[in-house]
Amino acid sequence: MPYLKPERPEKVTAPSLLASKQRGERLVCLTAYDYPTARIVDEAGIDIVLVGDSLGNVVLGYGNTVPVTLDEILMHTRAVRRGVQRALLVADMPYGSFHTGPDDAVRAALRLVKEAGAEAVKLEGGRKRIDLIKRLVDEEIAVMGHIGLTPQSVNKLGGYRVQGKTPEAAHGLIDDARALEEAGAFAIVLEVVPREIAKLITETVSIPTVGIGAGVHCDIQVLVLHDMLGLSFGKLARFVRPCADTRESITDAVTRYADDVRNGTYPSDAESYSMPAEAREQLETATPVNDSNIRKS
């Protein structure tokens, strides 16, 4: 089926994503971590806004996503919620928030929905998360799955590498995707997998696939906003397409501001406030305050 331009519904929801896939529409997802960027992204027509645990890398300065806490995701999701109206708002469940049992995971997910305003949660893992996803769905929480490269498993994986390169690994990913669909996930992130496998999974499951480093055949594409805007440090992943050099623009603006302060051209008279003429005259004729006046009083 050829992909179509989406019809731009008033509000994107988890069920509407399935309808979009059935119509052959391509949808767009971006991360956001604060109110201003969330509002800009939403008003630009992005379909899904993800408060990803990638905030650990691009906002909080961590070396990877593992240290990100539930409280940090909650705080950033609250901020993003205030800026998003049309897009579906999805919050990541950070490392450690769903590893100590289904009851703890439900509590964490409920906080993201009830306290922070998320409309869905995302968690990493395939078949080993099936019972947990079923439990969350039974509690009426919309769940987005995530397979392929799972950054929270970086210590186990030993680094960030392409997943599903062998026939055995590819079949494992397909089985993961099918299991996530059967468990009730409404979409599946496919991260850093061969495009052939992503295409096969997208054609195999009825729910939408969300690609990041997974080729053109996924139903939805997602990128980390800071990577796309050139606000990241270090080497970018192969799949990132920088669409702006915002870092250079910010550097130029900060440098110009600092130069203007140092050479005395900022603030100018037009950028300063002045007293009314009558008050200024009274001030100029008033008795100056000095030490002797203070002592006499």
Side-chain angles (χ1 to χ4, degrees), residues 53-69 72:
D53 58 4
S54 51
L55 74 90
N57 304 76
V58 300
V59 174
L60 302 178
Y62 299 147
N64 54 52
T65 64
V66 172
V68 176
T69 67
E72 288 168 337

Side-chain angles (χ1 to χ4, degrees), residues 52-152:
D53 58 4
S54 51
L55 74 90
N57 304 76
V58 300
V59 174
L60 302 178
Y62 299 147
N64 54 52
T65 64
V66 172
V68 176
T69 67
L70 179 62
D71 284 340
E72 288 168 337
I73 294 286
L74 282 165
M75 180 183 71
H76 288 272
T77 303
R78 289 190 192 102
V80 170
R81 173 74 279 165
R82 299 179 191 113
V84 171
Q85 293 186 10
R86 174 186 173 272
L88 176 70
L89 178 56
V90 182
D92 248 333
M93 295 192 68
Y95 183 72
S97 66
F98 56 93
H99 297 75
T100 57
D103 289 343
D104 288 344
V106 169
R107 291 188 189 98
L110 285 174
R111 291 192 67 192
L112 290 168
V113 173
K114 189 175 178 68
E115 297 178 26
E119 295 163 317
V121 299
K122 180 176 77 65
L123 59 87
E124 297 182 4
R127 281 162 287 174
K128 61 185 177 182
R129 306 294 184 211
I130 296 308
D131 290 340
L132 175 56
I133 292 174
K134 288 180 179 178
R135 172 70 186 280
L136 291 170
V137 172
D138 285 343
E139 302 296 348
E140 300 178 341
I141 299 169
V143 179
M144 178 181 286
H146 184 155
I147 58 176
L149 174 62
T150 49
Q152 293 176 11

Side-chain angles (χ1 to χ4, degrees), residues 171-182:
H171 283 297
L173 288 175
I174 295 170
D175 291 341
D176 281 338
R178 287 171 171 162
L180 289 174
E181 179 182 19
E182 291 175 5

Side-chain angles (χ1 to χ4, degrees), residues 7-86:
E7 294 181 357
R8 299 295 181 200
E10 281 297 315
K11 179 72 182 78
V12 180
T13 64
S16 77
L17 296 184
L18 178 59
S20 292
K21 173 167 181 151
Q22 292 170 346
R23 290 192 295 265
E25 297 172 349
R26 289 183 180 273
L27 301 184
V28 187
C29 176
L30 280 173
T31 61
Y33 314 103
D34 57 33
Y35 169 78
T37 52
R39 181 166 176 173
I40 291 169
V41 165
D42 185 63
E43 292 178 355
I46 296 304
D47 304 291
I48 304 170
V49 174
L50 171 65
V51 184
D53 58 4
S54 51
L55 74 90
N57 304 76
V58 300
V59 174
L60 302 178
Y62 299 147
N64 54 52
T65 64
V66 172
V68 176
T69 67
L70 179 62
D71 284 340
E72 288 168 337
I73 294 286
L74 282 165
M75 180 183 71
H76 288 272
T77 303
R78 289 190 192 102
V80 170
R81 173 74 279 165
R82 299 179 191 113
V84 171
Q85 293 186 10
R86 174 186 173 272

